[in-house]
Amino acid sequence: QVQLAESGGGLVQPGGSLRLSCAGSGFSLEFYAIAWFRQAPGKEREAISCISSSEGNTYYGDSVKGRFTISRDNAKNTVYLEMNSLKPEDTAVYYCGTEPTSWCGSSWYWASVYDHWGQGTQVTVSS
């Protein structure tokens, strides 16, 4: 059974940085495309980034391009999201999900294509 666990969230000042982790258990993340989404209370779940499995291609939502970087460490069975130049509007619960085709398709930003999700980690950007 696929299990994912996000970690690394917390309180950070505007302009600061955080690195989120998405750790897999019971399976190998290297065979999946992995995406990060975020959701604030009362708002839609927003696609942030996706990384393919073998190709290693990366994709980003417009709101985070140039500020966030997705990467993977297959030896640690973990996908990371490095977040820099954080803004108050980045405040949300951040989730990672698995994409079973192993690549970030044309609908990578659509939450329904991901078959497993972690529990989420809270990121709060405030002074």
Side-chain angles (χ1 to χ4, degrees), residues 6-127:
E6 302 94 338
S7 62
L11 176 64
V12 64
Q13 293 184 333
S17 299
L18 285 173
R19 187 180 73 165
L20 306 184
S21 298
C22 174
S25 61
F27 76 110
S28 295
L29 267 64
E30 65 179 318
F31 302 123
Y32 294 84
I34 304 294
W36 286 96
F37 281 67
R38 68 187 182 189
Q39 188 168 27
K43 298 181 180 179
E44 296 292 324
R45 187 166 293 197
E46 177 188 12
I48 299 302
S49 186
C50 185
I51 184 168
S52 64
S53 57
S54 59
E55 299 88 354
N57 296 324
T58 59
Y59 304 84
Y60 298 93
D62 289 340
S63 63
V64 304
K65 286 180 179 178
R67 298 190 298 122
F68 291 10
T69 302
I70 190 170
S71 62
R72 62 166 74 232
D73 186 337
N74 290 333
K76 296 182 178 180
N77 207 31
T78 300
V79 171
Y80 301 99
L81 184 69
E82 180 71 34
M83 306 186 296
N84 300 310
S85 302
L86 284 163
K87 306 173 181 179
E89 52 262 46
D90 295 319
T91 297
V93 177
Y94 284 71
Y95 301 89
C96 60
T98 57
E99 204 290 315
T101 70
S102 81
W103 60 288
C104 306
S106 60
S107 298
W108 75 267
Y109 53 86
W110 188 22
S112 296
V113 307
Y114 302 93
D115 57 357
H116 295 87
W117 297 91
Q119 82 289 345
T121 185
Q122 176 72 49
V123 172
T124 302
V125 184
S126 177
S127 59

